Amino acid sequence: MGPLFNAGEPWGLVTALVIGIAFGYILESAGFSSSRKLAGIFYGYDFVVLQVFFTAAITAALGLVFFDYFGWLDLSAIWVNRFYVGSTIVGGAIMGLGFIIGGFCPGTSACAAAIGKIDAMLFLGGFIIGVIIFDAFYPLYEGFYKADNLGPVKIYESLGMDREVFLLIFVVFAIFAFWATAVIQKKVSEKSNKY
Amino acid sequence: MSDTRIIKKRYIFMTVVFVGLALLLVILPKKHASNELKPEQLLQEINDNTRYLSTDEVADKIIKADRYFRLIDVRTPNDYKEFHLKGAINIPLDSLLNKDESGNYINADILNQDLYINVLYSNGTVYANQAWIILRRLNYKNNYVMKGGLNRWIETVIRPVRPPQTASRKEFDIYKFRKAASMYFGGGTVAVPAAEDNAPVPVIKKKASGNEEEGGC
Amino acid sequence: MEEVKIQNPPKKYMNPYLAGVLLGIVIILSFYFTREGLGASGAFKRGVAKVEQIIIPSHVESEKSAFYHYVKNGKDPLDNRLVYMIIGVFIGGFLSGAINNRLKLKLEHSPKITSKKRAIAAVIGGALFGIGSAFGRGCTSGAGLDGMAVLATSGFVVVAMIFGAGYIFAWFFRKLWI
């Protein structure tokens, strides 16, 4: 029964490398190495981010629950990010702003830099500057950063739902989003073709 | 034209597969997995101190007569008879896992529920902590521990010590609260319970692991 | 031979849904093998911690640093699976670029803005992302994608905030893109 290795073990490191290669390959193949393609989601001309992102999320979520069901993977043993209410919300908002200005996120900028995108390399440079800034002034907001830890809560617990029922709603919602964005994308591209 | 039709067909297929799998999970009977908590998770919960309520918080709840707040005395029935906090239910530690004829835990109704907040206490913290660990191992929720137990209860709520003049305003506020609580609970008249487990609670070292604090990204 | 190869036009991108399913499978495998999911930002934080450990050890080895737990007890911050994963991401991205004829040194920007403007925006956006992913305890992949995969509340909140904030600010920065 999985997980097979702890992340720190040598084999865990090797698998991390292999998984990283697959991750980078898929991101680049899907077009995540282009900032203009990525930013498209915010202006309605290209929803590839949403399509890839949510397809991956529902695939993984369904798969993990099935793995649990068949007893292949112990879901209580895998890492679940802690929910620090304020820090998570503020962090997400700052990332959203960074996304719309910079046009990348760290993973996509790494694979874009790998194929020679200079803007991605600059983004990564900026990312490192941001990390240094965060570290330099850390004592100022350490309290906020560590406040309101709700632990590794699951969304269906937060909503008071059954796990399976939530998953079904999530899948249906994602597919609705795919359909809606396809319609929007068509309209936006028709509109821009007129000019 | 036929190209787009093939693509369309693919998307319908994808939709059917995803929704079908999700529906299947809803319909499939729930696996009755063992409810017991994993040792790793138990260790993690032992390490984070969210289970503790201070004596002040407990006093506040009692004074406010919080309906969904329940005290559980895990000491022996004799100790309980001698002195216990108002409204406390006595479930001695050694009878925590007693079963009835059909093999169910007799205390499950009280300890495994999600309406009340149960606060376990003993004379110190050790026995209440032991009871809490057993309850968590059974994956019972909503159980807490009064930190410091009755000994600290006496020190802080029943006979609060006036802070020095130089103390901060906050400390005086706490003192004022305690003084009022002391009046409420009839301060000074109770017999001090014998120190049974007053020894300092051993501090369990946090798992030294950067992973735990940092997570996925 | 060589010249012909260079002139090959870049191939089309993969179908996004296919890419999504493959990415989902990679996430499942990651959890199955290593207990944890994908991640990108952690490696850069660890890189910064490593440099700080060499240059200003007094800072990073105190409670004043956000990366204290990376170096505590003489640990090497780079001895972590996320570092290997980001190396993998670079390799994987390069492989895909090579196979699909997309290897090219260029600064991509909207025709309406100058390269310089795009460069500045990229650095600022990167810096904001650096700060944001520190607060959010992970970036779009580590906090968002992994979080949604394991149905963590934090994952859904982060994703909602990233895209929510993105849409709110999109109007102000539309000149950068369209």
Side-chain angles (χ1 to χ4, degrees), chain A residues 28 41 43 87 135 145 155 158, chain C residues 52 96 135 137 153 167 170:
Chain A
E28 209 290 325
I41 183 175
Y43 302 102
S87 190
D135 186 35
Y145 178 68
I155 182 87
S158 304
Chain C
E52 286 185 340
S96 169
F135 274 112
R137 290 175 170 74
T153 308
Y167 276 109

Side-chain angles (χ1 to χ4, degrees), chain C residues 52-65 68:
Chain C
E52 286 185 340
Q53 197 181 26
I54 296 165
I55 306 173
I56 39 166
S58 59
H59 170 73
V60 75
E61 279 160 18
S62 74
E63 295 280 354
K64 264 165 53 186
S65 168
Y68 178 51

